[in-house]
Amino acid sequence: MRVVNSLVERCFAVVELLANEASTIRLGEIAEKLDLQKSAAHRMLTTLCEIGWVEQEPVTGFYKLSLRLAILGQRFLSATHLTDVCQPVLEELASESAELVRMAVVQGETLTWIAQVQGARNGLKYQPELVARVRLATTANGKAYLSKLNPTDAIRIAVNDGGPNAEKRAITSVEEFMGELELTKKRGWAISIEEAEPGVVAIAAPITLSGGQTVGTVSVAGPSSRLTPDRHKEISSSVVATAGKLGELWPLRERYQNAKQSA
């Protein structure tokens, strides 16, 4: 049974790696990042190609995720009615801030992007890479989420985010990072100034239910030339207010789903 579980975990690790990269990857790189033998990685990739989860470029031989996972993900989100309930609130924040608004949901011990609305009408427009997982230690969304955890768990999760072979910026000072999380928790919002991406500033707040459970995060992000320090107070206030609205609306998705099922 342990061998089967190991194989299943490794297959999902391959799928997750390809989903996070959003580009073709060579076999050797996949094996290296997942600490697998090339032969084992090749066998799993061959199987995943045969059942339609992965595609291999005919010219380069590199691998990429097929659209099957994205299609299933969209079906799942549609079934939960989460975006139906939250989309108008995100659009309102995007219009107000005139920047990119994104929402992520908690899955296990990480965050996954599920929705975004572009509010920038002209000039520079921040268009992030199409990846699923939120990097926790360097993003405003990640820090907003981590600030709601106990310090021990927050540090453990941030340090191990992405696995031992993932390319990530190290936390150079645990004390400094914990101080930032404490400040985030106290004021209710987090900020990332060119930490995740050069030239980009993001402000995020946790989405928390009335019982205290943190279910996601919402953020505003844009070029540092527009999201200057004199706008931080205004933007953070709007983001926190939006997070509050989303927390109130979150349970409605279950009522929406139950109403449609009984109709």
Side-chain angles (χ1 to χ4, degrees):
M1 180 65 71
R2 290 182 61 189
V3 174
V4 173
N5 285 340
S6 176
L7 289 172
V8 170
E9 289 168 359
R10 289 182 178 184
C11 278
F12 274 106
V14 171
V15 171
E16 189 171 0
L17 174 64
L18 293 173
N20 287 334
E21 292 295 332
S23 62
T24 56
I25 315 178
R26 59 183 176 82
L27 172 62
E29 187 177 356
I30 294 171
E32 180 182 353
K33 287 189 173 184
L34 298 179
D35 195 22
L36 296 171
Q37 294 290 331
K38 275 190 177 181
S39 57
H42 183 262
R43 286 196 298 272
M44 281 187 287
L45 287 164
T46 299
T47 299
L48 289 168
C49 285
E50 289 174 352
I51 61 178
W53 289 93
V54 173
E55 297 175 351
Q56 185 177 23
E57 291 287 333
V59 177
T60 64
F62 289 7
Y63 295 90
K64 66 179 181 179
L65 202 63
S66 73
L67 291 177
R68 186 173 182 180
L69 182 63
I71 293 169
L72 289 177
Q74 287 297 323
R75 288 178 184 172
F76 174 75
L77 281 178
S78 178
T80 64
H81 302 290
L82 187 57
T83 51
D84 294 335
V85 172
C86 298
Q87 192 72 15
V89 180
L90 300 178
E91 290 175 356
E92 182 181 354
L93 179 59
S95 177
E96 181 181 343
S97 65
E99 299 293 354
L100 180 71
V101 170
R102 291 204 283 179
M103 183 174 71
V105 295
V106 176
Q107 289 193 313
E109 292 188 334
T110 190
L111 290 171
T112 300
W113 298 116
I114 66 162
Q116 71 176 43
V117 180
Q118 179 61 262
R121 291 176 285 274
N122 47 55
L124 289 173
K125 290 186 180 181
Y126 171 48
Q127 296 287 359
E129 291 184 45
L130 296 176
V131 296
R133 176 183 283 181
V134 180
R135 287 177 291 172
L136 299 180
T138 57
T139 63
N141 287 272
K143 288 184 280 189
Y145 160 63
L146 293 172
S147 73
K148 302 296 288 185
L149 305 179
N150 71 63
T152 302
D153 286 339
I155 287 296
R156 173 183 58 82
I157 292 170
V159 169
N160 295 326
D161 181 41
N165 297 303
E167 296 178 5
K168 58 182 181 293
R169 299 183 185 182
I171 297 175
T172 56
S173 169
V174 171
E175 292 77 13
E176 183 179 336
F177 188 70
M178 286 308 306
E180 186 173 3
L181 293 186
E182 288 174 9
L183 176 59
T184 295
K185 184 174 182 178
K186 181 179 179 180
R187 67 190 177 190
W189 55 275
I191 188 168
S192 172
I193 302 177
E194 300 193 58
E195 294 175 64
E197 296 180 63
V200 175
V201 173
I203 294 174
I207 302 169
T208 306
L209 304 185
S210 58
Q213 179 189 4
T214 299
V215 293
T217 58
V218 62
S219 65
V220 167
S224 56
S225 58
R226 279 205 306 264
L227 284 181
T228 51
D230 60 300
R231 294 192 66 200
H232 292 175
K233 183 178 180 180
E234 167 204 348
I235 295 295
S236 62
S237 178
S238 297
V239 171
V240 170
T242 298
K245 292 178 184 178
L246 292 171
E248 293 175 0
L249 289 171
W250 209 270
L252 294 180
R253 68 189 179 96
E254 294 183 0
R255 299 178 198 171
Y256 187 174
Q257 186 173 15
N258 292 337
K260 290 197 73 174
Q261 289 175 346
S262 61

